[in-house]
Amino acid sequence: MSTSSTAPLRDLLDRLSDHPSIDAALGRREPVIAIGEAGRALVLAGLVAASDRRPVLVGTATQSEAERLATDAGAVLGPDRVLHFPAWETLPFERVSPGVETMGQRLRVLHRLGSDRPPALVVASARALVQRIDAEAAIDPIRVRPGDHIDPVELVTRLVELGYRREGQVEHRGEVAVRGSIVDVYPSTADAPVRIDLWGDEVDRLTEFAVADQRSTVAVEEVFLYPCREFRPTEQRRAQARELLRTEPWGREQWDRFADGMLFDGMESWLPWLVDGECLLTDLIGSDGLIAFVEPRRVRDRAAEIIAEEADLASSLARTWDVAADDVHRLHLSFDRLLERTDAVAWSVLGTPDRPSTPVVAASGWEPVVGDLGPTVERIRSLLDDGYTVVVAADGDASAQRLATLLTDHGVSFTTSDAAQTGGVVVAPLDRGVVLPDVKLAV
């Protein structure tokens, strides 16, 4: 039984990338492909593997769709090769900052897109796609490894500049604490805080630790410390804020804080006034990349709703601030703007074919097993008899062991350890299963 936590379904890539409909779509002048909803994540992972274009940016209508697609595709391609670019949880002009984890994830994507190891696949919702970004925010993270020589004072000072809060004890993302020769930090993109043990100025040990009892748990080889603030008062921003004090005095309270280099809650809402130009995520995808919209009409409609919501808010604020509505700068741009400044190939991923010539990936869903295992066992037996490769995905090691035992008790035994290639039980917490008849694969 395979229990790989990196890409437990990687062995399915060849089968998925050889799907005849992917080959047909790759050969089209204006690529369009129809994929049943249940199969989108796995088939898009196969498309990424079959195409030599990098990176591939996939846009969905909603955030929940983007999260599910990124998670399931990551089980095939590997989580480090698939990144989710989340939208801010806050409304435009709201005096509340997005979550530290959200900003950290976004900054990791922006950095990786401009690095020498870009992700293979980036998934983003309509809101994330049409939101203006600060391209200058994509700075290199601080990288720490055992054996590195660092000045703890300089490290903490730099982390505070990047938006980390200095606390007596680290309990939440975006916090840093110093205790003697130990620096504790909870990276904005990590699932656990990290303890940096120093011997003089040398990193002696690097370990994760538990928030509950503050005890070290497992050693780590390296840690990347991405900023906690997506929008920071750089010298250029501070100069722009001082200019706004003169030209737009209605916002004096905010401009004063920016000019003084302060970090404050809700500062991200003022990005449209302090960032020159209009940069979107799609602008960062070069001519070697590929942009695919999943059900593009739904993505367009959702983008239009977002624009309309912001316009209503802007009208209300214009009356409050006593300025013209056109002087209230906008955070979001239209759907039509998405492809204006990129030479990347654009794809449409439809739910159903729009014409007889559209390549179609037949896919039917396979919902999680609840209660009686009998019907599932019968379905697995039927698929195996028809020559299918059947992979049963479990949430964790305990679930995988239990499922393997139950299936064996019901007369279905997977004897190979290479489960993802020839069939069996794997640890892969997928959102949903799928049956792909054209390649004789069931997950």
Side-chain angles (χ1 to χ4, degrees):
M1 181 172 59
S2 171
T3 58
S4 170
S5 61
T6 52
L9 302 181
R10 185 182 297 277
D11 288 336
L12 298 182
L13 265 182
D14 288 344
R15 184 84 64 90
L16 293 166
S17 61
D18 287 341
H19 196 289
S21 293
I22 290 180
D23 288 340
L26 286 171
R28 291 170 65 96
R29 191 169 185 178
E30 295 182 0
V32 178
I33 189 170
I35 308 173
E37 182 181 0
R40 281 179 189 156
L42 268 61
V43 174
L44 284 170
L47 169 63
V48 171
S51 172
D52 58 358
R53 292 190 172 274
R54 294 290 185 275
V56 175
L57 171 62
V58 173
T60 65
T62 67
Q63 179 102 322
S64 59
E65 290 175 77
E67 291 173 349
R68 289 196 301 267
L69 198 155
T71 298
D72 286 6
V76 183
L77 292 168
D80 191 55
R81 301 184 66 209
V82 180
L83 297 181
H84 173 222
F85 186 74
W88 290 352
E89 312 93 339
T90 53
L91 294 172
F93 319 115
E94 191 174 14
R95 298 197 178 191
V96 177
S97 290
V100 169
E101 182 181 11
T102 295
M103 291 189 283
Q105 287 179 346
R106 288 168 59 89
L107 290 167
R108 177 172 57 181
V109 173
L110 295 179
H111 169 255
R112 289 279 303 276
L113 285 174
S115 73
D116 57 0
R117 57 183 196 100
L121 175 63
V122 176
V123 189
S125 67
R127 183 180 291 277
L129 288 174
V130 298
Q131 179 186 317
R132 292 173 57 182
I133 60 175
D134 179 9
E136 295 181 10
I139 64 172
D140 291 338
I142 299 172
R143 183 183 186 186
V144 181
R145 294 168 294 180
D148 286 350
H149 290 267
I150 61 174
D151 183 322
V153 175
E154 290 181 1
L155 173 63
V156 173
T157 300
R158 179 60 176 151
L159 288 173
V160 170
E161 291 174 352
L162 296 180
Y164 286 79
R165 300 182 308 278
R166 185 162 182 174
E167 303 286 352
Q169 180 173 288
V170 167
E171 296 179 339
H172 304 95
R173 281 189 184 88
E175 294 180 348
V176 60
V178 180
R179 294 182 294 108
S181 61
I182 294 175
V183 178
D184 288 345
V185 59
Y186 204 144
S188 59
T189 57
D191 293 326
V194 174
R195 175 158 295 149
I196 305 170
D197 279 295
L198 296 169
W199 181 263
D201 65 350
E202 182 179 349
V203 178
D204 183 45
R205 273 200 321 160
L206 200 59
T207 57
E208 292 183 350
F209 67 91
V211 169
D213 58 13
Q214 297 289 302
R215 291 184 178 179
S216 296
T217 53
V218 296
V220 292
E221 295 180 358
E222 62 182 2
V223 62
F224 291 93
L225 303 175
Y226 285 90
C228 292
R229 290 282 186 176
E230 190 172 340
F231 186 55
R232 300 180 301 280
T234 62
E235 285 301 323
Q236 180 183 355
R237 302 285 182 261
R238 295 174 68 177
Q240 288 172 299
R242 287 190 285 270
E243 177 63 17
L244 286 169
L245 281 168
R246 184 182 65 82
T247 60
E248 301 195 41
W250 57 268
R252 175 173 296 278
E253 178 186 354
Q254 285 72 39
W255 312 146
D256 272 337
R257 288 192 280 185
F258 273 111
D260 290 340
M262 294 176 61
L263 298 175
F264 58 94
D265 209 25
M267 61 188 296
E268 293 77 16
S269 292
W270 305 100
L271 180 149
W273 280 267
L274 292 162
V275 172
D276 294 330
E278 297 178 344
C279 184
L280 296 175
L281 182 64
T282 49
D283 298 350
L284 307 182
I285 309 300
S287 57
D288 293 334
L290 186 155
I291 299 173
F293 296 111
V294 176
E295 298 189 62
R297 180 168 295 183
R298 288 185 61 228
V299 179
R300 179 186 290 273
D301 290 347
R302 182 62 190 130
E305 291 173 3
I306 292 164
I307 299 297
E309 290 168 1
E310 185 173 15
D312 289 342
L313 286 169
S315 295
S316 298
L317 286 173
R319 293 191 292 272
T320 301
W321 294 339
D322 194 24
V323 298
D326 290 343
D327 291 336
V328 180
H329 297 195
R330 307 301 167 85
L331 181 64
H332 300 98
L333 305 179
S334 70
F335 177 89
D336 291 333
R337 165 66 177 76
L338 289 174
L339 298 178
E340 283 184 359
R341 299 183 186 177
T342 177
D343 295 323
V345 170
W347 278 55
S348 292
V349 179
L350 308 178
T352 56
D354 61 344
R355 63 193 68 181
S357 61
T358 300
V360 179
V361 176
S364 58
W366 193 330
E367 297 305 323
V369 179
V370 178
D372 184 12
L373 194 64
T376 297
V377 171
E378 290 305 315
R379 192 175 183 192
I380 290 175
R381 282 203 188 100
S382 177
L383 288 166
L384 291 172
D385 290 343
D386 288 341
Y388 276 72
T389 296
V390 180
V391 177
V392 180
D395 284 342
D397 289 318
S399 296
Q401 296 287 354
R402 187 167 61 254
L403 274 171
T405 301
L406 286 170
L407 288 169
T408 300
D409 291 345
H410 282 75
V412 177
S413 179
F414 297 113
T415 58
T416 176
S417 61
D418 203 3
Q421 185 171 15
T422 58
V425 181
V426 299
V427 176
L430 301 181
D431 181 68
R432 66 186 305 184
V434 61
V435 179
L436 301 171
D438 293 331
V439 290
K440 293 280 188 176
L441 174 65
V443 179

